[in-house]
Amino acid sequence: MATALCVFTMCVLPIQTVSAESDKAPTSENHQKRGLSLSKKELPTALPRFVYDSGYSFEYPDAVRGVYVTGHSAGGERFKRLLDLIDSTDLNAMVIDIKDDHGYVTYEPESSSPYAEVGQPYIKDPKSVLKAMEEKQIYPIARIVVFKDTVLANKKPQLSYKDGGSVWKNGRGESFVNPFLKEVWDYNVGIAIEAAKMGFQEIQFDYVRFPEGFEKRDQELEYGTGEYGNENTDNVQKRVHAVTDFVEYAHEKLKPYGVKVSVDIFGYTATLPEAPGIGQNFSKISEHVDVISSMIYPSHWTPYFGIAKPDLQPYELVTEYAKLENKKLQELKDPPISRPWIQDFTASWLGSGNYKPYGKAEVEAQIKALNDQGINEFLLWDAGNTYTEGVDYTP
């Protein structure tokens, strides 16, 4: 504690403010000794940091057990069915698209917002959505797709990659924006801040990476490297630094809003020192988040872990992944919560003999595999938000 002397009747303390973006708090330095009658007064060296209050009250669950919800579902008739599902089971959280895979914001911001032009009326009344979740104590997570953003890439090609003078597209017709550029960081962090102000308790960043296979294109496409162009490292490390630095930057900028920060990451990234093309380093990203959410859908693995057809063996696949992830997280000084994405869909595109219909047994097998390895949180993915009925989510 710092001790300062001042006169009760004459001492004037300097007025200071603490803004949402400031790390500095008032101190008790430079108080003047005035008058004859002095009395000791103790002041703390720092006052509590400003934290934004959205007006909603949510408690973090015993363990997050959540489902993915599109903007269309959150703003439509399906939302009530999802509320009923969660209300009648041990599920307790929703991951709701706030910035979707195309780059649209899924609600209509105020006209003065820098995101007004990319707003869509999918969620017509975000306040009513959050109010309904508060009433049932369903933990709200805002999903924000970061670097896959066709809308921004076409609006500002200088923030994307060019191929022959045109904005580059992948095989699915999607465009990305450039993780090297701080303008792109700030654009996405701004949307995250709006979501935090709305009342979401956690910001989940997805597509925190360069496009898949970028190591084959990094010499062919035209793009800026920002401050990373001055680094005396190879292109792989430049990408890793950019992705990791964005996560650290976003986490710091969101601290005044009292939200947790999570990042979705490819499951295979945890099996490598780092994924060379996309710039994801599992350990480095994990050092800067509250939650790490690896996407470990059995259908998405090749014959890893000695399992020839992973989609047919969900318990075994998830068990082997969880063992590996646990080992990596134990190497960190302050590891985040592990909350993997698991599969509640059928991967028929794998072809006959390589997949099986996913239902109650397959979902429970994945959850049990996580639980058996000490991982108690999970998120269910189904693109259409139609989740299997009758599942025991705490097997």
Side-chain angles (χ1 to χ4, degrees):
M1 286 287 189
T3 304
L5 301 178
C6 66
V7 181
F8 286 123
T9 57
M10 299 178 64
C11 178
V12 178
L13 297 179
I15 297 174
Q16 301 188 53
T17 60
V18 185
S19 75
E21 301 296 332
S22 174
D23 288 327
K24 296 180 180 179
T27 69
S28 56
E29 297 176 358
N30 299 325
H31 290 188
Q32 301 297 317
K33 296 180 180 179
R34 300 181 183 180
L36 299 175
S37 178
L38 302 178
S39 175
K40 290 184 177 180
K41 181 177 177 68
E42 291 188 349
L43 291 175
T45 55
L47 295 178
R49 180 175 181 157
F50 166 83
V51 176
Y52 184 86
D53 181 5
S54 67
Y56 295 99
S57 177
F58 290 95
E59 295 291 331
Y60 193 90
D62 62 311
V64 168
R65 298 177 290 273
V67 297
Y68 166 61
V69 181
T70 66
H72 290 286
S73 291
E77 293 182 3
R78 190 178 297 275
F79 184 63
K80 185 180 184 306
R81 295 201 293 275
L82 291 169
L83 286 177
D84 291 342
L85 171 67
I86 293 176
D87 206 26
S88 61
T89 66
D90 285 320
L91 293 171
N92 55 28
M94 288 185 181
V95 180
I96 298 177
D97 276 347
I98 291 299
K99 179 176 176 240
D100 69 15
D101 290 52
H102 304 288
Y104 290 116
V105 170
T106 59
Y107 63 96
E108 292 184 300
E110 295 181 1
S111 58
S112 58
S113 168
Y115 307 104
E117 290 185 7
V118 297
Q120 297 291 324
Y122 305 151
I123 306 175
K124 295 179 177 60
D125 188 357
K127 289 182 179 179
S128 69
V129 168
L130 283 158
K131 185 64 178 174
M133 295 176 74
E134 181 187 38
E135 289 173 356
K136 295 181 180 293
Q137 277 301 291
I138 298 171
Y139 184 68
I141 304 169
R143 176 177 179 256
I144 293 176
V145 175
V146 182
F147 297 120
K148 185 171 82 166
D149 192 331
T150 303
V151 173
L152 182 59
N154 288 324
K155 183 180 178 183
K156 293 189 174 183
Q158 70 274 18
L159 300 181
S160 183
Y161 312 97
K162 291 183 180 179
D163 182 14
S166 301
V167 172
W168 173 80
K169 299 176 183 178
N170 66 14
R172 293 182 294 273
E174 303 160 334
S175 296
F176 283 66
V177 287
N178 187 348
F180 285 130
L181 304 181
K182 187 147 180 299
E183 184 178 345
V184 175
W185 296 10
D186 287 328
Y187 178 86
N188 284 281
V189 169
I191 295 173
I193 288 172
E194 287 209 2
K197 288 181 175 180
M198 288 164 63
F200 285 91
Q201 300 298 291
E202 183 172 317
I203 305 299
Q204 182 191 92
F205 293 113
D206 199 359
Y207 285 86
V208 186
R209 60 177 178 83
F210 286 77
E212 291 176 70
F214 195 77
E215 70 275 18
K216 301 173 184 176
R217 303 184 181 92
D218 63 348
Q219 301 293 331
E220 300 172 2
L221 299 178
E222 179 187 344
Y223 59 96
T225 53
E227 63 186 50
Y228 296 93
N230 299 322
E231 280 192 2
N232 188 25
T233 57
D234 61 30
N235 287 351
V236 170
Q237 289 306 308
K238 287 176 182 176
R239 290 193 287 273
V240 168
H241 293 167
V243 168
T244 306
D245 289 350
F246 164 75
V247 175
E248 182 179 14
Y249 178 83
H251 200 181
E252 186 64 28
K253 288 291 186 181
L254 286 163
K255 280 183 178 178
Y257 301 93
V259 292
K260 291 186 181 298
V261 172
S262 57
V263 164
D264 296 337
I265 192 167
F266 278 142
Y268 81 82
T269 299
T271 71
L272 305 169
E274 52 210 8
I278 62 176
Q280 286 185 342
N281 180 304
F282 179 87
S283 298
K284 289 180 178 179
I285 289 174
S286 293
E287 289 176 338
H288 300 296
V289 294
D290 302 296
V291 179
I292 191 76
S293 289
S294 290
M295 297 171 283
I296 60 171
Y297 320 118
S299 61
H300 282 43
W301 293 85
T302 55
Y304 260 74
F305 310 119
I307 302 172
K309 297 181 178 182
D311 195 60
L312 303 183
Q313 297 180 258
Y315 180 87
E316 291 78 8
L317 184 283
V318 171
T319 295
E320 293 306 313
Y321 172 83
K323 288 178 181 177
L324 186 151
E325 185 192 84
N326 281 340
K327 184 178 179 181
K328 275 217 165 183
L329 290 178
Q330 287 165 6
E331 295 171 354
L332 302 180
K333 182 179 179 181
D334 186 20
I337 294 169
S338 172
R339 188 196 300 153
W341 281 102
I342 60 175
Q343 178 172 331
D344 193 0
F345 57 85
T346 296
S348 56
W349 61 85
L350 294 175
S352 179
N354 298 309
Y355 79 95
K356 63 171 161 179
Y358 266 53
K360 172 179 164 64
E362 290 71 27
V363 173
E364 289 179 356
Q366 295 171 86
I367 296 169
K368 189 173 188 307
L370 291 174
N371 291 171
D372 288 350
Q373 298 303 316
I375 300 173
N376 297 314
E377 301 205 2
F378 62 85
L379 300 170
L380 296 171
W381 181 273
D382 175 69
N385 305 164
T386 302
Y387 297 99
T388 300
E389 296 182 1
V391 172
D392 181 356
Y393 294 109
T394 55

